[in-house]
């Protein structure tokens, strides 16, 4: 545990150039989690984090291929990984996998995030205000684009009209989606593209130290 904390503190020192800060903020390494961020790529701070979700486990291997959608329906919408498909609110990844929904909202806190490309930064998500709005900001002069894993694409599809919004209407020739590309539109659906950020550490400064 101490070795992990030392490594994470060293990362912070390199990121921020401040040993004083690293002494007060300690990050614990965790198995990678995945943020679905609904935000403009060039932003470095703002509001709206209450609309961000998180997958605590990689949703890709737990997903269902579009070509197997009928099988998913025949099982009552329960995927082999035991998550439930919601026909009114469903997600796709860049390979054409139907994914389980992330958990909403992302909890307030400080996270070490990266896109595993060029940047790693501290993401601070603030508690919701009286209107339920959560502010956020990135450190290390990073933008959301800098800490987005471009190869991971995700989109949320909901009904645009009273008609059907279904994975059966997806053009499977649209996959795989190019890194950084937009997810395909689907007839009858409204689509929201989400940036995917990797969480590799969480702030545990307030936790009791253990040997």
């Amino acid at each position: 545990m101490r070795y992990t904390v030392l490594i994470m503190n060293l990362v912070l020192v390199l990121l921020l150039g401040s040993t004083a800060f690293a002494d007060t903020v300690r990050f614990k390494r965790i198995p990678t989690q995945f943020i679905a961020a609904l935000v403009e790529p060039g932003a470095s701070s703002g509001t709206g984090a209450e609309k961000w979700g998180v997958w605590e486990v990689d949703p890709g291997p737990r997903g269902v291929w579009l070509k197997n959608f009928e099988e998913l329906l025949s099982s009552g919408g329960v995927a082999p990984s035991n998550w439930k498909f919601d026909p009114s609110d469903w997600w796709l990844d860049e390979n054409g996998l139907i994914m389980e929904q992330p958990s909403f909202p992302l909890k307030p806190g400080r996270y070490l995030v990266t896109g595993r490309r060029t940047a790693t930064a501290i993401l601070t998500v603030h508690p919701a205000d009286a209107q339920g709005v959560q502010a956020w900001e990135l450190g290390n002069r990073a933008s959301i684009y800098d800490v987005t894993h471009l190869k991971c694409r995700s989109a949320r599809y909901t009904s645009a009209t009273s008609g059907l919004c279904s994975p059966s209407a997806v053009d499977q020739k649209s996959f795989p989606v190019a890194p950084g590309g937009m997810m395909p539109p689907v007839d009858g659906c409204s689509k929201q593209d989400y940036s995917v950020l990797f969480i590799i550490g969480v702030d545990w400064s307030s936790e009791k130290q253990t040997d």
Side-chain angles (χ1 to χ4, degrees):
M1 177 65 74
R2 286 178 174 174
Y3 177 77
T4 300
V5 172
L6 287 172
I7 292 296
M8 298 305 288
N9 279 345
L10 178 59
V11 170
L12 287 172
V13 170
L14 294 174
L15 285 172
L16 304 173
S18 172
T19 55
F21 190 86
D23 286 340
T24 59
V25 180
R26 298 190 313 279
F27 280 79
K28 177 172 65 176
R29 179 82 186 201
I30 63 170
T32 303
Q33 298 182 4
F34 307 83
I35 296 174
L38 187 63
V39 62
E40 289 297 321
S44 296
S45 63
T47 57
E50 72 278 2
K51 299 176 183 177
W52 297 8
V54 61
W55 290 284
E56 294 185 355
V57 179
D58 188 349
R62 295 167 55 83
V64 175
W65 291 104
L66 283 168
K67 64 184 180 180
N68 296 329
F69 177 56
E70 293 302 322
E71 295 179 21
L72 178 62
L73 290 181
S74 66
S75 68
V78 179
S81 296
N82 206 36
W83 56 269
K84 184 68 180 292
F85 171 73
D86 182 348
S88 66
D89 186 354
W90 46 275
W91 292 68
L92 285 179
D93 82 347
E94 73 280 0
N95 294 308
L97 281 161
I98 304 167
M99 298 187 293
E100 61 192 305
Q101 297 183 13
S103 299
F104 288 95
L106 179 63
K107 295 179 181 179
R110 282 183 288 198
Y111 305 90
L112 201 61
V113 297
T114 182
R116 290 184 179 165
R117 295 187 294 115
T118 59
T120 300
I122 296 171
L123 169 66
T124 302
V125 178
H126 297 278
D129 64 15
Q131 287 71 47
V133 176
Q134 288 182 264
W136 64 274
E137 68 263 355
L138 281 170
N140 199 28
R141 300 180 180 179
S143 68
I144 289 292
Y145 177 82
D146 295 330
V147 292
T148 293
H149 189 67
L150 296 182
K151 291 183 179 180
C152 288
R153 314 306 300 152
S154 65
R156 184 181 194 175
Y157 296 85
T158 55
S159 180
T161 64
S162 59
L164 184 65
C165 171
S166 170
S168 63
V170 178
D171 181 1
Q172 298 185 36
K173 295 179 182 178
S174 301
F175 302 95
V177 175
M182 301 296 287
M183 293 287 288
V186 178
D187 288 344
C189 300
S190 293
K191 174 178 72 86
Q192 291 180 312
D193 282 85
Y194 284 72
S195 297
V196 178
L197 287 59
F198 293 171
I199 303 175
I200 59 173
V202 294
D203 177 15
W204 71 317
S205 301
S206 61
E207 295 184 13
K208 183 178 179 180
Q209 294 187 42
T210 58
D211 292 333

